[in-house]
Every structure is written in structure tokens, then in C-alpha cells.
Amino acid sequence: MFHAEMLNLKREIMRRMGSYEIAIGALTDRPERIAKKEQKRFHGGPANKAGKNSNTTVRAVLQRMDAAFNLLLAPWSNPSNKNVALVLKEILVDMNKSHGDNKRIENAALATVRNPILRGEYGSNSPETIKQKGFDRLLINTGTMFSSIKARLKKRV
């Protein structure tokens, strides 16, 4: 009897988990900004101040960077990324409430993708890029692309 109850519980959890869909990426688009030679602090490290709009968009830049580094999917399969467990925890908490807090799930999903960038897990800039930017933070120049990464939760009934 116990085994059958566990299987039923597992099926129910999987059914409920399947009702959550998280979109993550550049969900709205805007022009990418050209970097000025003036620095600022950005999420605990240096970045260049943003100048005029460029001829490209943050969505296009994010697509190029995602193609090169798999930014949007790789963090979900990294066993050392503790943020994945936080997303699952928030979904489980939400499943037990009649009115969940979507923002907590969205923030946890956002941290899953953004934190590896902030921790420098994708490597370093080339010496030429470091000289041009004035610092070594791969995937961060003005912070426009990084800030454009958003998460949106959609619950399916």
C-alpha cells in the first residue's frame, strides 16, 4: 500500500510541476548602449557607463552571447548551481498555497541565470578586451544586456 501511495504522490507532484512554465531571457527589447570610457559600480564590480544607443538591440546581443556561452540553459544543468534548488523549493511552496507569490519564483529563476555571470563562471575576457573595457568581467560591459535578462512565470491550468 505504501508503495502505491508514493507512486500516486510522485505522479501528482510531477503533474503540478508540469503546470509551471518559466520564460527567461530578453523578454522585452531595447537598444544596446554604447559604452563610455567612464566606469561605475555594477552588481559588486566594475562596468562602463552607458552612452548613446547603438544600432543593435539587447535581444540580438543576448542571442549572440547565448549561442557562444549557452547562458540561458547551462546554469540549469550545472550541479553546483544552488539556485536551481531554490527555484524548485519556491515552486513546491507555491503548490501548497492557494495564492502563490510568482515574484519569488521569478527571482529565483533569474538568479539561476544571472549569478553564474556575476561569479565569472564563463571565463575571462581576452587581454585586448580587458584593455578596451578597462576591466575583466566577461559578459558585462555597460550592464545593459545583463539587466535585460528577465524571468516571467506562467502557470498553466
Side-chain angles (χ1 to χ4, degrees), residues 56-88:
T56 191
T57 65
V58 291
R59 186 173 286 158
V61 172
L62 183 58
Q63 285 172 340
R64 281 196 323 268
M65 295 300 107
D66 186 44
F69 297 100
N70 199 20
L71 301 176
L72 301 176
L73 290 178
W76 298 96
S77 61
N78 180 348
S80 67
N81 191 340
K82 293 178 176 81
N83 296 109
V84 175
L86 182 59
V87 172
L88 295 175

Side-chain angles (χ1 to χ4, degrees), residues 113-130:
V113 172
R114 283 182 168 185
N115 285 353
I117 295 170
L118 292 176
R119 289 191 295 262
E121 291 181 11
Y122 295 101
S124 296
N125 288 117
S126 69
E128 179 181 301
T129 302
I130 294 170

Side-chain angles (χ1 to χ4, degrees), residues 136-153:
D136 183 13
R137 288 184 87 188
L138 188 67
L139 303 169
I140 295 177
N141 190 4
T142 65
T144 306
M145 182 201 75
F146 179 89
S147 296
S148 76
I149 300 172
K150 304 288 183 197
R152 185 179 312 126
L153 174 69

Side-chain angles (χ1 to χ4, degrees), residues 21-35:
E21 182 178 300
I22 302 171
I24 193 155
L27 303 181
T28 57
D29 207 4
R30 62 181 191 215
E32 174 68 333
R33 307 290 296 275
I34 298 171

